[in-house]
Amino acid sequence: MTRRFLFVLGSARAEGNSELLARRAAEQLPPDAEQQWLDLSEHPVPDFEDLRHDSDHVRPTEGNLALLLDATLAATDIVIVTPLYWYSVSAQTKRYLDYWSGWLRTPGLDFKATLAGRTLWGVTALAHREEVVADPLIGTLHNSAAYMGMRFGGVLLGNGSKPGDVLNDTEALTRAKTFFSQEAQPARFLYEK
């Protein structure tokens, strides 16, 4: 089966450190692996309004929401590419993930069943030498994968603050070479282990 990677770019900066690191990792993908890159700054969506118990959900058929939904459903691998902002994902990334709540309740989508067994990955750059500060971001992605019944490939971490800094992080660039070749394990909540 052909793997289809969706790279969801969640930075407020074009070609930021997280994106640069993700592109280095993507260079190592097999030639037959499809790649789609969607920048959430170029495809903004409105703030998520939680209507779970108030109305019927309708599948978006046009605009950025439809584009993101269709790309998400088509992907075998979803890669969240976001810098570490206040110890978690960026606002754009969080808004995208919030829409998963609505898509879970959209008739005919079977959103959770469709994503089950697929793989969620993360790539992030942080401006802190101690990588443990990224644990909340990693937890957000890991728990999201666990809830959806997905596999979790982990998060590729790199260090960088100024544009291009991550390209000086030789350890991160080395990890990028094999990041997507590792076997992603089924995600489980910590209490399930």
Side-chain angles (χ1 to χ4, degrees), residues 144-176:
S144 297
Y147 180 79
M148 297 298 290
M150 300 176 76
R151 295 179 169 277
F152 185 58
V155 177
L156 175 60
L157 299 174
N159 191 277
S161 180
K162 293 184 297 191
D165 271 358
V166 76
L167 298 178
N168 298 318
D169 185 344
T170 55
E171 291 179 15
L173 295 177
T174 298
R175 289 190 302 267

Side-chain angles (χ1 to χ4, degrees), residues 19 22 37 65 84 106 113-114 125 131 138 149 154 163 174-175 178 183 186:
E19 180 181 348
W37 295 74
L65 278 176
L84 183 73
T106 302
T114 300
E131 293 180 347
I138 295 167
T174 298
R175 289 190 302 267
T178 59
E183 183 69 28

Side-chain angles (χ1 to χ4, degrees), residues 73-118:
L73 291 171
T76 60
D77 296 78
I78 300 168
V79 186
I80 302 297
V81 183
T82 176
L84 183 73
Y85 283 164
W86 286 104
Y87 310 103
S88 190
V89 298
S90 68
Q92 298 96 312
T93 302
K94 179 65 168 65
R95 187 176 299 118
Y96 163 72
L97 292 173
D98 284 346
Y99 270 97
W100 286 22
S101 296
W103 297 339
L104 282 169
R105 290 159 182 80
T106 302
L109 276 189
D110 294 325
F111 188 72
K112 189 172 183 178
T114 300
L115 264 57
R118 297 186 183 184

